[in-house]
Amino acid sequence: MTKTLNKASRYRAVIVGAGRIGANFDTPDSANILTHAHAYRAHLSTELVGFFDVDRKMAQAAARKWNVAAFANLTEMLATVKPDIVSVCSPTATHFSVLNEIAEAGFKPRLVIVEKPVAETSAQIKKIKNKFSKLNIPLSVNYSRRFDAVARQVWSDIKNKKYGNVISAVGLYNKGLIHAGSHLLDLAGLFFGRVSSGKTLHKIYDHSKSDPSVSAWLKFTHCPNFFLIAGDSRAYEIFEMEILLEKARLKFFNAGQELSVELRV
């Protein structure tokens, strides 16, 4: 029997930014969970309470869609709700100011989830990291692929050397290093550990002037040769990873949503 927690026992969540990833990639009746709103609605331990967006009409539309409140400003939402969880799904240019306001709101959320990138510059990211660390507020970047059950199983198999040692790996992507490539690198970090050295090989400005798709060679703790290969999203989009191990060949394809395992024994 499924146990449903009463509202008083559930974590109260709010969303900053009522766009696609926050509210509009799916609906309450969608089979797949594609938004923060749907995730909070579906989980037994969370209660979605409200939205804030600088575009009041967008906030109101999202609130009607998910049957919660719309707030006129962020300060009001934080002060009224005192949420346990805050999702920051607003445009990248707003992240630094939004995260600072959350940190200075006078209470400590149990968790803040932010869409990547955390901020526009490395200096801003360091300031946010230091501030949240001092306040002991957990801050998680929403690299969702690392929480996928299949990816977690691959991580476990590599860690336990089910297929032997990693020989090399390649990741193919396009549409910007930050926009799309960062997801690939985060997944590689999950599988192979930390980067110890690397070299940029090539850049393609297929996404934006500030976010090129970068090809590079990288060495990870558990992968001596990782090749990050940039395509051109103006031709087509791609997101794949292939891992060569001593006893198997693993390949993530179909935008990283499917995995093939080819044993080599």
Side-chain angles (χ1 to χ4, degrees):
M1 185 175 75
T2 300
K3 182 179 179 180
T4 303
L5 300 177
N6 60 50
K7 286 191 175 184
S9 303
R10 288 150 73 185
Y11 298 110
R12 291 161 59 81
V14 296
I15 298 173
V16 181
R20 294 179 298 175
I21 193 65
N24 294 323
F25 269 141
D26 61 9
T27 70
D29 298 322
S30 297
N32 297 317
I33 297 174
L34 303 176
T35 61
H36 289 249
H38 198 173
Y40 292 134
R41 171 66 68 86
H43 203 287
L44 296 177
S45 297
T46 55
E47 176 194 3
L48 179 60
V49 179
F51 285 92
F52 162 70
D53 195 290
V54 292
D55 185 329
R56 186 68 187 276
K57 290 183 179 178
M58 286 187 67
Q60 291 172 336
R64 286 193 298 270
K65 180 178 182 178
W66 296 98
N67 193 29
V68 295
F71 290 87
N73 59 69
L74 179 56
T75 301
E76 177 193 5
M77 182 169 73
L78 296 174
T80 302
V81 178
K82 290 184 171 57
D84 299 295
I85 307 172
V86 182
S87 280
V88 179
C89 306
S90 53
T92 301
T94 69
H95 286 187
F96 185 67
S97 61
V98 167
L99 290 169
N100 270 303
E101 186 164 349
I102 293 169
E104 297 166 3
F107 76 100
K108 294 201 302 185
R110 292 172 180 261
L111 175 65
V112 176
I113 302 170
V114 59
E115 286 295 321
K116 51 79 184 163
V118 174
E120 290 186 292
T121 68
S122 58
Q124 289 180 341
I125 292 171
K126 287 179 182 178
K127 288 180 180 179
I128 291 297
K129 180 181 178 180
N130 290 337
K131 179 171 286 190
F132 274 69
S133 180
K134 287 179 181 178
L135 293 171
N136 197 27
I137 300 175
L139 179 64
S140 176
V141 184
N142 187 32
Y143 287 116
S144 55
R145 285 177 173 84
R146 68 164 42 231
F147 302 108
D148 178 78
V150 174
R152 301 302 292 186
Q153 185 60 55
V154 169
W155 166 76
S156 178
D157 290 343
I158 292 174
K159 180 182 178 182
N160 295 315
K161 298 187 183 296
K162 179 178 179 178
Y163 305 115
N165 292 314
V166 176
I167 299 170
S168 60
V170 60
L172 296 94
Y173 80 103
N174 52 29
K175 211 170 183 181
L177 179 64
I178 294 174
H179 180 80
S182 60
H183 283 282
L184 197 60
L185 289 174
D186 183 73
L187 200 57
L190 172 66
F191 295 155
F192 311 130
R194 291 185 176 274
V195 174
S196 59
S197 59
K199 181 180 180 181
T200 299
L201 303 175
H202 182 59
K203 294 180 181 180
I204 299 174
Y205 290 86
D206 64 322
H207 178 59
S208 74
K209 292 181 179 179
S210 61
D211 185 18
S213 296
V214 178
S215 293
W217 168 82
L218 300 167
K219 181 179 180 180
F220 288 83
T221 304
H222 302 295
C223 180
N225 286 290
F226 182 89
F227 294 93
L228 184 68
I229 306 298
D232 191 330
S233 61
R234 292 168 294 189
Y236 54 85
E237 293 186 22
I238 189 169
F239 188 98
E240 296 182 358
M241 183 186 291
E242 190 164 349
I243 307 169
L244 303 182
L245 301 104
E246 292 172 323
K247 300 177 182 178
R249 176 186 182 189
L250 311 182
K251 183 177 181 180
F252 285 92
F253 61 101
N254 190 19
Q257 298 181 35
E258 297 184 55
L259 172 71
S260 66
V261 179
E262 181 180 337
L263 297 178
R264 296 287 189 171
V265 292

